[in-house]
Amino acid sequence: MNIPRAVAMWNLGIGLAAALLGAAALARAQGSVPLEVGQHGYADSIFVNGKIVSMEDQGYNNNPGRIYEAMAVKGGRIIALNTTAYIRTLAGPSTQVYDLGGMTVIPGLIDTHNHNFGGQVGPTMGIRAPNNGIQVRVEAGRDMEATRLRVENAIRDSLTKVNPGEWISVGIGENEQEGISANRIFSWVVRGELEPKDRLTRLAPNNPVIVQQASRATMN
């Protein structure tokens, strides 16, 4: 055999073997990084040895969803729910580790009874408080149609007294003489039948309007 040719083939074989070994090592290294770490980086904090209630079943039942041992958090968001052993693989040198010692963790409760005005809920949702403009009160009519007529007449009259962008607030009182109780008016407003949003917008396209009975209201 030609010696130079044999040496060249030997070197080529060594080179190919080294490349294959390098590729295998890279694949192993990449495979050792958990998916969540590859996507988000190491967790800011992990919570282990607990009962993490997922509340992932959104049906109307008593099922709280799956319960996990641990969770990982990154940037204020949960990035993984799993066993304690797995979640520990998502921790880096700077990750804070909280041992729950068997305690239960549930999602944050959102208070569905909120007051949109006079706090932080309204501004957060982009709702401006009706702190300017005009406030009027009307008595309910003998039925929903008669009540709507009174409300809309009050809105039309108010439009002549406010500037564009100012609020028109209309409160509706009960009509004892004709048997229209506050509860009945309340039900009209709750169902959105008395003054739907698009109807208010047509009446007052340049002004925010709120039609209210007690704690229920319709706004455009």
Side-chain angles (χ1 to χ4, degrees), residues 127-204:
I127 299 174
R128 295 175 295 159
N131 52 7
N132 60 22
I134 188 171
Q135 294 184 352
V136 296
R137 186 169 180 81
V138 300
E139 182 184 71
R142 65 180 180 274
D143 54 25
M144 187 169 66
E145 289 297 329
T147 302
R148 180 183 295 124
L149 179 62
R150 293 185 180 186
V151 169
E152 294 185 356
N153 284 339
I155 293 172
R156 291 188 183 96
D157 180 66
S158 297
L159 284 170
T160 65
K161 304 172 183 178
V162 296
N163 297 316
E166 292 183 330
W167 277 90
I168 298 173
S169 302
V170 183
I172 308 172
E174 61 185 7
N175 182 344
E176 295 182 358
Q177 185 175 354
E178 297 185 273
I180 304 300
S181 67
N183 285 339
R184 190 169 180 186
I185 305 166
F186 191 90
S187 69
W188 294 340
V189 177
V190 167
R191 294 197 299 265
E193 298 173 348
L194 181 63
E195 289 293 352
K197 176 181 176 180
D198 57 348
R199 191 179 182 95
L200 291 177
T201 300
R202 288 196 299 271
L203 279 169

Side-chain angles (χ1 to χ4, degrees), residues 56-114:
E56 60 193 355
D57 187 340
Q58 299 181 16
Y60 291 98
N61 54 54
N62 296 324
N63 179 18
R66 285 176 289 185
I67 297 176
Y68 298 86
E69 284 186 325
M71 71 176 175
V73 176
K74 177 76 173 182
R77 299 180 68 87
I78 297 173
I79 61 172
L81 295 166
N82 213 302
T83 64
T84 290
Y86 181 80
I87 293 299
R88 285 191 183 278
T89 67
L90 309 184
S94 301
T95 301
Q96 290 183 297
V97 180
Y98 299 92
D99 192 326
L100 298 174
M103 291 191 294
T104 299
V105 176
I106 62 174
L109 299 178
I110 299 175
D111 183 5
T112 55
H113 176 99
N114 58 67

